[in-house]
Amino acid sequence: MERLQKVLAHAGVASRRKCEELIRSGRVQVNGQTVTELGVKVDPAKDRIAVDGMPVRLETRKRYLLLYKPAGVITSVRDPHGRRTVIDLLEGVPERVYPVGRLDYETEGLLLLTNDGELAHRIMHPRYELDKVYEAWVKGHPDEEDLRRLREGILLEDGWTHPAKVERLAERSGRTLLRLTIHEGRNRQVRRMCAAVGHPVLVLKRVRVGFLTLGRLRPGEWRELAPEEVRRLRALVGL
Ligand code: URA
């Protein structure tokens, strides 16, 4: 038997704290009865749990997948415009997993997917922000002053970016390859940062999250995390 809020959080409904609010506000039912107390314990294998009358699917097997998202695929479970989603790439995975954060449609690279709601919430939470490393081909040749601005912080429309690590990896005619390490996960952040210093991104790839890298994966391929990797990841976010 497990506490109701924990079962809901594990099912990916919301963070544990949000699930407690759902229970307190009378939106959670167990076997058809509304439950508003937080101490209630349930058996995920037997009890029928619902939020606002909608049954909650209780996943039994936890899945932790590392996908090499190709460009031209949307980071979403469903797309109203019928575009290919990252879930379409996960053949043979019957569990309902969710992307941890998002990569833009045109961005490729490392994306985690899991049905462990609590871990996913923590990985995305600013307090535990893990290193996210991107390789960006940008237009033109940023000078030292551009790199300094990227490193120290850029004022975007949603505020200053935190300090970033920025290295120049290669130069070709008319373009430069940068490696940027950031801890935040704002919408289109790397693209907006580079555009703000006058060097828009041409191609963007996420190559690392925390200690996880793409390794030998090719675009469109995925692998299951090893138990040791899951343990390390959980430890990094205080679980
Ligand atoms: N920054 C971006 O601009 N795009 C992404 O997909 C991820 C980070």
Side-chain angles (χ1 to χ4, degrees):
M1 300 285 273
E2 285 189 282
R3 280 168 175 267
L4 180 55
Q5 59 266 37
K6 187 171 173 192
V7 172
L8 287 169
H10 277 172
V13 170
S15 67
R16 181 118 31 128
R17 200 178 50 75
K18 285 253 168 61
C19 290
E20 290 175 359
E21 287 171 19
L22 287 175
I23 296 170
R24 270 200 228 97
S25 55
R27 294 176 56 191
V28 179
Q29 300 86 41
V30 177
N31 301 321
Q33 299 284 314
T34 297
V35 170
T36 54
E37 279 171 46
L38 292 182
V40 171
K41 293 204 169 172
V42 293
D43 181 353
K46 292 208 190 99
D47 290 315
R48 282 179 296 112
I49 299 172
V51 175
D52 294 333
M54 297 289 289
V56 173
R57 275 174 54 142
L58 301 175
E59 312 288 355
T60 42
R61 178 168 172 214
K62 288 275 180 278
R63 302 293 300 260
Y64 303 90
L65 312 179
L66 190 164
L67 170 72
Y68 189 155
K69 175 198 172 299
V73 173
I74 186 162
T75 307
S76 167
V77 175
R78 244 168 272 105
D79 180 42
H81 305 293
R83 287 174 296 183
R84 213 149 60 112
T85 74
V86 289
I87 303 297
D88 295 334
L89 298 171
L90 303 178
E91 238 174 81
V93 178
E95 290 83 6
R96 193 182 296 196
V97 293
Y98 298 90
V100 180
R102 59 190 297 281
L103 291 177
D104 303 328
Y105 185 69
E106 324 85 276
T107 301
E108 63 174 35
L110 196 162
L111 183 70
L112 290 171
L113 298 110
T114 182
N115 54 2
D116 182 339
E118 195 168 33
L119 179 66
H121 281 291
R122 289 214 180 184
I123 291 175
M124 288 186 280
H125 195 289
R127 174 154 43 127
Y128 303 104
E129 282 292 354
L130 306 178
D131 271 2
K132 292 175 190 121
V133 185
Y134 295 87
E135 286 179 7
W137 278 104
V138 300
K139 194 169 169 191
H141 303 287
D143 61 19
E144 279 309 312
E145 171 61 12
D146 297 326
L147 298 188
R148 186 191 63 74
R149 288 182 61 207
L150 287 170
R151 287 179 185 130
E152 292 183 359
I154 300 261
L155 184 57
L156 301 176
E157 67 252 42
D158 50 357
W160 288 92
T161 60
H162 289 177
K165 215 168 125 189
V166 182
E167 300 154 81
R168 199 189 281 112
L169 298 184
E171 306 233 31
R172 298 283 181 276
S173 72
R175 61 201 165 103
T176 303
L177 180 61
L178 300 180
R179 184 195 288 138
L180 299 99
T181 304
I182 64 175
H183 302 275
E184 305 164 276
R186 296 196 229 163
N187 191 29
R188 300 181 76 82
Q189 182 166 341
V190 173
R191 291 177 193 276
R192 290 191 291 141
M193 286 168 69
C194 295
V197 293
H199 297 280
V201 167
L202 304 171
V203 180
L204 185 60
K205 175 170 159 183
R206 180 154 72 189
V207 296
R208 181 161 75 77
V209 172
F211 60 88
L212 295 167
T213 61
L214 287 167
R216 291 161 185 268
L217 290 180
R218 299 164 58 101
E221 292 182 344
W222 59 272
R223 71 172 179 87
E224 196 100 34
L225 294 189
E228 179 54 30
E229 291 174 312
V230 175
R231 259 194 301 277
R232 272 182 79 186
L233 202 52
R234 293 180 68 85
L236 269 182
V237 295
L239 288 171

